[in-house]
Amino acid sequence: MALRPEPTVSFQSVQYALRVLEAVSRHSGGVSDDQIARETGLPTAHLGPMLDMLRREGYLDRLAEGGAYAIGDSLVLLGSGRAQERAVEEKVQHSLAELRDTVGAAVYVSRYIDGEVRVTQYADGPLTPKVNEYVDFRFAAHASAIGKCLLTQLDPNGRREHLSRHKITRFTSRTITSEQLLFSKLDSQPPTVPMLDLQEYAVGTVCAAVPLTAGSAVGCLALSMPVEHAHRLRAAADALNRNAAPMVLSLAL
């Protein structure tokens, strides 16, 4: 499977965050933001918001004396092996629950694993029901926001290989059934703009997805809501995009 070469904003943010965490970890007694800036070479405009995000996510602590930064509990808890996997899953689930409440919609993390679309975690609720998966997402990559967002991260050969196994099928009157048209739309999709599904997968449901790119992993963060809430989709999708970087960081550590 080959990936498209374009990096995403989330990927760049994660690289910045990892550089900051590496710098802080070298100072067991804490380190100032000025020293972090010198060691990482990050401009102040990027460093300030990055430090705020890492504190909010629990990766950094602010020491009482002098305001220095130290490694936080979230990073300490990430051990190795299965314990690390459980810690990451729990942190992602907590973040998804918070994001669900922020955007007012069911939210999902999906990965492209062994040539298949897989929803690995999600958070829904009584007022934010998840989409009715009446057709397995594995067979609907061409129609769902999740699937299309994952396909954008593959090169044309990877997409064709996927569609050779999962044929394009019409689910609603809005479903794209032309491979040429589908590829054209995927290629014209800016990597930092949310991918939308306006009743292409299911009548009565609208969705949005943004890439979660960390190294060679292909993933996305998505939301769904009933079509009567479609007027909120753009704002919710923008909030989803803003919260992608912390989610990628959880998956990258």
Side-chain angles (χ1 to χ4, degrees):
M1 177 187 66
L3 306 183
R4 296 179 67 191
E6 298 92 344
T8 67
V9 169
S10 297
F11 178 71
Q12 185 181 54
S13 298
V14 168
Q15 299 310 299
Y16 288 163
L18 292 175
R19 285 162 63 182
V20 170
L21 292 176
E22 288 172 358
V24 176
S25 67
R26 290 194 290 267
H27 300 270
S28 58
V31 60
S32 69
D33 52 359
D34 288 340
Q35 183 64 28
I36 295 172
R38 284 193 292 271
E39 292 189 18
T40 61
L42 297 181
T44 304
H46 284 109
L47 183 59
M50 184 63 64
L51 291 171
D52 290 342
M53 184 274 285
L54 291 171
R55 287 183 63 200
R56 189 167 60 248
E57 295 295 315
Y59 293 115
L60 292 181
D61 281 336
R62 192 84 184 267
L63 303 181
E65 292 187 13
Y69 291 90
I71 292 299
D73 291 340
S74 289
L75 202 59
V76 172
L77 290 174
L78 295 181
S80 61
R82 182 54 189 158
Q84 181 187 31
E85 292 177 13
R86 286 197 298 269
V88 170
E89 289 172 1
E90 290 173 1
K91 180 158 186 59
V92 169
Q93 195 62 42
H94 178 73
S95 298
L96 285 174
E98 289 187 336
L99 185 55
R100 172 201 60 203
D101 296 339
T102 297
V103 302
V107 290
Y108 316 76
V109 169
S110 181
R111 308 287 290 276
Y112 195 74
I113 303 173
D114 297 330
E116 301 291 355
V117 174
R118 301 185 188 278
V119 174
T120 54
Q121 288 180 254
Y122 68 90
D124 64 348
L127 300 179
T128 55
K130 66 184 182 69
V131 65
N132 175 26
E133 193 178 344
Y134 75 104
V135 174
D136 193 313
F137 283 134
R138 290 179 300 170
F139 310 125
H142 63 286
S144 66
I146 283 175
K148 289 188 293 181
C149 190
L150 296 176
L151 289 178
T152 61
Q153 299 173 62
L154 305 183
D155 68 6
N157 288 334
R159 297 172 192 166
R160 291 191 187 94
E161 193 279 330
H162 181 90
L163 295 178
S164 72
R165 292 181 287 109
H166 301 301
K167 304 299 184 184
I168 290 180
T169 303
R170 184 181 298 279
F171 299 126
T172 76
S173 62
R174 295 175 177 264
T175 305
I176 296 174
T177 56
S178 162
E179 181 178 296
Q180 182 178 0
L181 179 57
L182 175 65
F183 282 19
S184 176
K185 287 187 174 294
L186 295 179
D187 287 333
S188 64
Q189 176 75 15
T192 57
V193 174
M195 176 70 72
L196 301 182
D197 161 15
L198 304 178
Q199 303 188 87
E200 296 173 52
Y201 169 72
V203 174
T205 301
V206 294
C207 308
V210 296
L212 292 181
T213 304
S216 61
V218 173
C220 72
L221 180 64
L223 66 82
S224 68
M225 58 178 61
V227 69
E228 54 265 31
H229 292 250
H231 61 282
R232 297 196 297 109
L233 182 62
R234 176 54 65 183
D238 289 343
L240 195 75
N241 214 4
R242 290 194 299 273
N243 285 274
M247 200 71 67
V248 180
L249 184 60
S250 295
L251 299 174
L253 289 169

